[in-house]
Amino acid sequence: MNTDSRYITSLEQGILESRLVHLKMGMAVCLLLLSLVSCRSIKDTAGKDIIDSHEYEQLLPLATSQEGVTDLTARMSLTLDYNQHQVSLKGRLRMRRDEAIQLSLTAFGVMEVAFVEFTPQGVCVVDRMGKRYTRIHYASGIMQRLGIGFPAIQALFWDKLFIPGEEQVESRLADFKIEPHEGRKLVSPKQQRQLECLFHISSDYTRLEQTTLHLSGYENIWRYSSFDLTGGYSHPTVLDVSISGASHSLGAHITLSGTSLTDSSWKVGVDLSRYREVHINEILDSL
């Protein structure tokens, strides 16, 4: 009897801790999106250089998917830092080209506490413990004006070049400029939109090592490192994402392992029949 009581107490404590972990994750995802859409515009930047055909050929692999690579799944370790508070989670990352990006987050290695899915229609954040979810649609006013959609989000996770609002970047490479910068190449659209993009690529044009997004007083940086060769496909196994602006700072350190390019068994979408839809602010207010 005493053993059972201790077990119940431990389980209840674990559930409470898991809920808190998830809520912080929900807030982190929300902030990642909101920080990019809730600011004033910035001025456009005119291009300085027109890239030649040789440079075009070198940029092409950094803007397009490798032939035959459509699915990527991996175990994921995620550490979040929000205003000096830190939380760590395990989970899985699943990506299917042009269809979906899924992040499944677990506590204690067994219980899923949060599920996030990016699709061409929008973003769905699911609170497993609270049986609720929220959706963010790219077609909503300001996100559409800024060019924040699935092509841009997919490029960030797949480590590729993109232009906000453009579907097919490979046909628009002549719209980029290339400049030397601290031993690397700085690539950027010659005509910047409100959401300004800067891409740091290696001097030999083989890797995109950093993507920086600017919007008014906000800066979002994606750093890619520890590249691994899986099935002939080179991809980063460490992603460091940071957002700073106003009085907030958010950091996410993602480490991938056990990468597979052949697991296509997972499905796009999630059953939400037993969940209630809430506004994004309800998840934030829970904190």
Side-chain angles (χ1 to χ4, degrees):
M1 184 68 178
N2 292 337
T3 301
D4 291 342
S5 298
R6 287 196 299 271
Y7 172 77
I8 293 173
T9 302
S10 176
L11 178 60
E12 290 175 342
Q13 181 179 358
I15 290 175
L16 290 174
E17 291 175 352
S18 297
R19 180 171 175 78
L20 178 60
V21 164
H22 160 63
L23 291 176
K24 289 186 177 181
M25 177 58 195
M27 179 179 67
V29 173
C30 294
L31 287 173
L32 174 62
L33 296 170
L34 293 177
S35 67
L36 297 177
V37 301
S38 60
C39 312
R40 301 186 305 274
S41 65
I42 59 175
K43 65 180 181 179
D44 291 346
T45 302
K48 297 179 181 179
D49 303 318
I50 299 176
I51 65 177
D52 58 32
S53 58
H54 178 61
E55 289 175 311
Y56 173 88
E57 293 174 358
Q58 291 178 300
L59 281 185
L60 191 58
L62 300 176
T64 58
S65 59
Q66 181 172 315
E67 185 176 356
V69 178
T70 58
D71 285 78
L72 187 151
T73 64
R75 293 189 298 273
M76 176 178 63
S77 296
L78 171 66
T79 300
L80 289 169
D81 288 286
Y82 176 66
N83 284 355
Q84 299 183 344
H85 296 283
Q86 188 177 93
V87 62
S88 296
L89 291 168
K90 300 290 186 180
R92 294 196 71 86
L93 171 68
R94 302 179 180 91
M95 303 195 296
R96 180 166 297 152
R97 186 80 64 178
D98 299 328
E99 291 189 37
I101 297 169
Q102 296 179 349
L103 294 89
S104 175
L105 303 172
T106 61
F108 313 114
V110 294
M111 182 165 50
E112 186 179 64
V113 295
F115 177 84
V116 182
E117 182 178 62
F118 301 89
T119 66
Q121 291 71 45
V123 187
C124 182
V125 180
V126 182
D127 173 3
R128 293 295 194 189
M129 302 302 297
K131 298 293 184 181
R132 57 186 180 171
Y133 71 95
T134 187
R135 291 188 186 276
I136 303 173
H137 298 282
Y138 309 128
S140 62
I142 190 162
M143 291 189 74
Q144 189 174 46
R145 289 196 298 273
L146 292 176
I148 300 175
F150 189 69
I153 292 174
Q154 178 170 256
L156 289 169
F157 276 95
W158 280 93
D159 187 25
K160 296 296 181 182
L161 302 173
F162 69 94
I163 299 176
E166 298 293 338
E167 295 284 339
Q168 301 294 330
V169 179
E170 57 267 31
S171 62
R172 302 292 302 273
L173 292 181
D175 294 336
F176 283 98
K177 64 177 180 177
I178 302 177
E179 300 173 292
H181 180 74
E182 297 180 353
R184 295 189 288 186
K185 300 291 184 180
L186 185 63
V187 179
S188 59
K190 291 185 292 183
Q191 297 296 326
Q192 294 277 16
R193 297 183 55 155
Q194 291 180 334
L195 182 62
E196 183 182 35
C197 304
L198 301 171
F199 305 96
H200 298 257
I201 65 176
S202 59
S203 58
D204 59 1
Y205 293 86
T206 59
R207 293 174 177 172
L208 172 57
E209 298 176 345
Q210 178 177 314
T211 295
T212 302
L213 307 177
H214 291 288
L215 183 65
S216 188
Y218 286 79
E219 182 178 69
N220 178 206
I221 299 177
W222 293 63
R223 295 184 178 89
Y224 309 99
S225 60
S226 299
F227 286 78
D228 183 41
L229 192 65
T230 302
Y233 176 67
S234 178
H235 64 95
T237 60
V238 174
L239 290 77
D240 283 296
V241 184
S242 64
I243 296 175
S244 59
S247 59
H248 299 288
S249 64
L250 169 67
H253 179 81
I254 301 172
T255 302
L256 305 178
S257 61
T259 302
S260 170
L261 303 178
T262 59
D263 180 11
S264 58
S265 61
W266 58 279
K267 297 181 179 179
V268 177
V270 56
D271 181 9
L272 299 172
S273 59
R274 297 184 179 181
Y275 292 72
R276 63 185 179 92
E277 185 172 10
V278 300
H279 191 273
I280 190 173
N281 288 339
E282 181 172 326
I283 294 180
L284 292 174
D285 290 343
S286 299
L287 299 166

